[in-house]
Amino acid sequence: MKSLDVITIGRAGVDLYGAQIGGRLEDMGSFRKYIGGSPTNIACGTARLGLRSGLITRVGDEHMGRFIREELAREGVDTRGVITDPERLTALVILGIRDEDQFPLIFYRENCADMALCEDDIDEALIAQTRSLLATGTHLSHPRTEAAVLKALELARKHGARTALDIDYRPNLWGVAGHGAGESRFVESARVTEKLQSTLHLFDLIVGTEEEFHIAGGSTDTIAALRAVRAVSAATLVCKRGARGAVAFAGAIPDSLDDGEAGPGFPIEVFNVLGAGDGFFSGLMKGWLDGETWPRALEYANACGAFAVSRHGCTPAYPSLAELEFFLRRGVIRPDLRNDAALEQIHWSTNRKGDWSTMRVFAFDHRMQLEDMPGYTLAKGGAFKELCLQAALQVQAGQPGYGILCDNRIGRRALHAASGTGLWIGRPCENPGSRPLGLEPELGPDCGTLVEWARENVVKVLCFCHPSDSAEMRAGQEETVRRLFTAARRNDLEFLLEIIPSKVGPVDDMTSAALIRQFYAAGIYPDWWKLEPLRTAAGWANAIAAIEDNDRHTRGIVVLGLDAPEADLAESFEVAAGFDLVRGFAVGRTIFGEVARRWLAGEIADATAVTEMAQRFARLCAIWDQARAKARKAA
């Protein structure tokens, strides 16, 4: 049994996409950063569709190279074939969306890391583990990278793997167009045609646009070009035809493209064609490797290409398998898929990164409670929160499944220091104690300052609410939460909604469930729910049903502490741990409250404060883990 379904080989770089649509690249004021390069995009696109994918390339020994590695890992791509080059920089591309026909781009690839890929980088043991190998045309353009690709193809065929080629013709990367012609898709070149034709016999599947088959076949007549390719290769040829879909030719080339095997296309608005071919190939590989018919495989491919055409960026636009299946089952509701609310919710919720199936969270985002303690000053409060972070990191010890809640008002230094530690990081937005809900002034009236947040921060908001609230109170609070939720999504930030009804009115087994349904009805889809401990299994079952009836892909629930004694929390954990959607806890004052009072009074030193908080946090983690283990054993 092979451990990988597909390995791609070739380009890996960072795409800086102009954030403004419709302007010249010269006038772009800001950019979105994504991973890029056709093989990298396809490795991620196939991984999202459930294939086990890997990538062979080189990246620089710097921030952008590490970014690519980390993003590949988040996407589930095997990175054993990604070599770090200590001498060269990671490739860079700057792109823009001018209109539906113009997509200017500039390649920064002079002596870049991925073009230093060589034969020594090709590991036979890795190649032996894959069912297929996919190469792209750019790496046939230089003797060193060509040698690496040819060695990989030879080993793939030796070990029984299928081979595929994305012609991926970029004239300026072959040296037949200038730096300013990055957008150019076709320039005739007998040299390029000769080089491509010398390798085409090595592939079982060859994919390209009509223009790419023109360069591969040496003719601007598409049928003649396809026949020229067929003369040197027995591969199945898949010709992409833009809005008309694509056709496959497993045998002889007929007199018309319309006589090939075709899959249905989709009436989608053209927003961004960059990366659409890589999305197409991802879907095609899914169908091909799953043994689907060519029409079915092309349907997958066309759908994945449609997603890419309708969204910003390349890899971020590609669908998950759940999203693809939903789209094929439901069909097109509106041609601008990025504005299809139901589809975008599935896209967002099924492409989130990271495993947070266990959540042990030390919550020290409290502001009002600290500010009310004797001896508090802003400087002391900030210093204490740094001690809280030290305690959290001491318990975490590099292990997964740990997190913090920390504010920016008092805990800014701790909040920033937490980035990159592997902790889950939640950051509060509510004005403490407010009802009706008000937000921290630093967010601005439209929550516009979320653009400045670290992308690993989770937007957290606490709303004191109750099913008995007046219509005016409910509408006002929902509007505030919705404004924050919308801003969080706009900035690619996960969202946690905490609700506490018990501070407002009496509660029973239906209270939290009723509130959850109200927020979903208002168009708010939290990634996380933070709920107060529910006293009964029925209460948890009702709350979970309210979530799953609206969002089958939610991250889950964490239980808050409400300053309860450890024994009370242990009792509440026993009930909550019986439900898988409850991922863990987020507890604060039970851990830090008494320690903070003594530290602010000067009664204990920093080291003692850290030790005591770490001990309390560790005990709660153990209590939760034991409760979960007991529940699973009982199940």
Side-chain angles (χ1 to χ4, degrees):
M1 179 70 176
K2 297 196 174 186
S3 62
L4 292 172
D5 295 307
V6 57
I7 292 176
T8 64
I9 180 170
R11 288 190 285 135
V14 173
D15 288 351
L16 294 181
Y17 256 88
Q20 293 75 50
I21 309 302
R24 303 185 309 159
L25 200 53
E26 292 89 332
D27 299 323
M28 289 296 159
S30 58
F31 296 84
R32 304 293 296 273
K33 184 181 69 162
Y34 310 126
I35 54 175
S38 292
T40 303
N41 290 335
I42 296 169
C44 294
T46 50
R48 287 188 174 189
L49 294 175
L51 295 180
R52 300 163 300 169
S53 65
L55 174 66
I56 297 174
T57 190
R58 281 196 183 202
V59 297
D61 187 15
E62 22 74 353
H63 307 79
M64 295 300 102
R66 289 191 292 275
F67 167 67
I68 292 173
R69 279 186 171 279
E70 291 172 10
E71 280 293 287
L72 289 170
R74 292 183 190 107
E75 293 283 356
V77 175
D78 189 306
T79 59
R80 285 176 291 170
V82 179
I83 309 299
T84 298
D85 189 320
E87 299 176 2
R88 297 169 181 85
L89 292 173
T90 303
L92 178 69
V93 185
I94 297 179
L95 316 90
I97 302 174
R98 182 67 191 269
D99 55 38
E100 65 180 39
D101 298 312
Q102 299 178 78
F103 304 92
L105 68 159
I106 305 170
F107 290 98
Y108 289 83
R109 297 183 51 81
E110 192 71 30
N111 194 30
C112 67
D114 70 50
M115 288 304 290
L117 193 72
C118 66
E119 288 184 83
D120 290 343
D121 296 332
I122 307 303
D123 178 8
E124 181 171 0
L126 179 61
I127 299 292
Q129 292 181 37
T130 188
R131 295 170 58 209
S132 67
L133 179 77
L134 190 157
T136 57
T138 301
H139 270 54
L140 299 173
S141 66
H142 186 280
R144 179 173 53 212
T145 54
E146 179 191 24
V149 171
L150 293 178
K151 179 181 177 181
L153 288 167
E154 176 187 349
L155 292 171
R157 296 173 75 84
K158 172 183 173 182
H159 290 283
R162 301 185 192 182
T163 55
L165 173 68
D166 182 354
I167 300 172
D168 186 38
Y169 183 41
R170 297 290 189 273
N172 68 333
L173 299 185
W174 280 85
V176 296
H179 290 308
E183 190 177 358
S184 172
R185 298 294 175 150
F186 181 73
V187 174
E188 288 187 89
S189 170
R191 175 180 65 83
V192 175
T193 298
E194 181 181 6
K195 175 58 67 177
L196 288 173
Q197 291 204 351
S198 72
T199 64
L200 297 181
H201 65 285
L202 298 172
F203 296 99
D204 301 308
L205 173 65
I206 299 173
V207 178
T209 62
E210 291 191 54
E211 291 81 6
E212 287 170 337
F213 274 109
H214 293 170
I215 194 68
S219 171
T220 54
D221 179 285
T222 303
I223 294 297
L226 287 166
R227 286 173 173 166
V229 171
R230 171 60 72 235
V232 296
S233 175
T236 296
L237 309 182
V238 173
C239 183
K240 296 180 288 186
R241 306 177 71 191
R244 291 174 291 173
V247 287
F249 303 99
I253 307 302
D255 293 333
S256 170
L257 292 179
D258 294 334
D259 293 332
E261 293 187 82
F266 301 90
I268 300 301
E269 171 208 70
V270 176
F271 175 70
N272 171 31
V273 301
L274 300 173
D278 304 334
F280 176 96
F281 215 144
S282 299
L284 189 69
M285 290 297 290
K286 171 67 175 173
W288 188 43
L289 293 175
D290 282 359
E292 301 287 358
T293 64
W294 283 115
R296 181 62 168 168
L298 289 170
E299 183 181 26
Y300 290 171
N302 290 335
C304 291
F307 283 112
V309 163
S310 186
R311 290 170 174 157
H312 196 268
C314 298
T315 294
Y318 303 152
S320 66
L321 183 58
E323 181 184 359
L324 176 63
E325 290 172 343
F326 172 82
F327 177 70
L328 293 178
R329 183 171 62 250
R330 189 207 62 174
V332 177
I333 299 298
R334 53 184 303 166
D336 51 340
L337 300 183
R338 67 192 175 282
N339 293 316
D340 182 326
L343 193 61
E344 283 299 287
Q345 169 59 25
I346 295 176
H347 180 69
W348 169 267
S349 62
T350 58
N351 286 308
R352 286 178 299 228
K353 308 302 185 293
D355 176 10
W356 294 108
S357 53
T358 298
M359 290 282 282
R360 312 173 190 91
V361 179
F362 180 5
F364 50 90
D365 57 326
H366 305 68
R367 287 141 288 165
M368 187 170 59
Q369 294 89 342
L370 268 182
E371 290 164 343
D372 288 344
M373 289 183 183
Y376 171 85
T377 65
L378 181 59
K380 282 187 177 181
F384 181 74
K385 295 205 172 192
E386 291 184 77
L387 300 181
C388 293
L389 175 61
Q390 289 181 38
L393 290 171
Q394 190 176 116
V395 177
Q396 177 214 23
Q399 304 170 89
Y402 293 83
I404 62 169
L405 278 164
C406 181
D407 64 292
N408 188 62
R409 184 201 296 182
I410 300 171
R412 178 175 300 179
R413 289 177 65 86
L415 180 69
H416 292 177
S419 276
T421 61
L423 290 169
W424 178 94
I425 304 169
R427 180 171 167 180
C429 294
E430 72 277 355
N431 190 14
S434 59
R435 177 173 155 84
L437 175 65
L439 301 180
E440 284 273 25
E442 68 174 26
L443 292 171
D446 62 349
C447 306
T449 59
L450 290 184
V451 72
E452 301 170 3
W453 283 31
R455 288 297 172 263
E456 61 189 306
N457 289 177
V458 175
V459 175
K460 172 257 180 182
V461 65
L462 162 59
C463 185
F464 294 100
C465 51
H466 196 275
S468 65
D469 284 341
S470 68
E472 182 181 10
M473 172 68 77
R474 174 180 166 184
Q477 296 208 122
E478 286 178 353
E479 177 53 36
T480 300
V481 174
R482 183 167 46 243
R483 185 169 75 252
L484 182 62
F485 167 72
T486 301
R489 283 290 177 86
R490 187 168 60 241
N491 289 284
D492 296 328
L493 298 166
E494 291 191 26
F495 185 81
L496 181 152
L497 177 56
E498 177 178 3
I499 54 175
I500 302 183
S502 67
K503 301 293 185 182
V504 180
V507 298
D508 58 27
D509 286 345
M510 291 303 300
T511 306
S512 290
L515 290 169
I516 288 167
R517 292 186 187 278
Q518 286 178 10
F519 280 107
Y520 279 123
I524 297 160
Y525 287 75
D527 301 277
W528 294 98
W529 288 92
K530 188 180 177 194
L531 304 179
E532 56 187 326
L534 304 179
R535 297 188 182 96
T536 67
W540 280 116
N542 292 334
I544 289 168
I547 293 170
E548 293 186 335
D549 285 349
N550 290 280
D551 182 7
R552 302 292 300 184
H553 304 290
T554 185
R555 284 284 205 183
I557 303 166
V558 290
V559 185
L560 59 95
L562 289 178
D563 199 18
E566 204 173 272
D568 291 354
L569 286 176
E571 186 177 335
S572 69
F573 286 179
E574 284 278 339
V575 182
F579 298 87
D580 284 342
L581 197 64
V582 183
R583 308 301 192 194
F585 64 86
V587 173
R589 283 172 291 169
T590 305
I591 299 170
F592 77 78
E594 187 255 337
V595 175
R597 282 185 284 272
R598 290 160 56 212
W599 183 85
L600 287 170
E603 296 173 5
I604 57 173
D606 293 358
T608 302
V610 171
T611 297
E612 290 193 13
M613 290 189 291
Q615 289 172 345
R616 295 176 186 212
F617 184 32
R619 283 200 304 272
L620 283 180
C621 293
I623 291 169
W624 173 261
D625 290 345
Q626 290 163 10
R628 178 68 95 193
K630 179 181 177 181
R632 287 181 173 165
K633 184 177 180 180

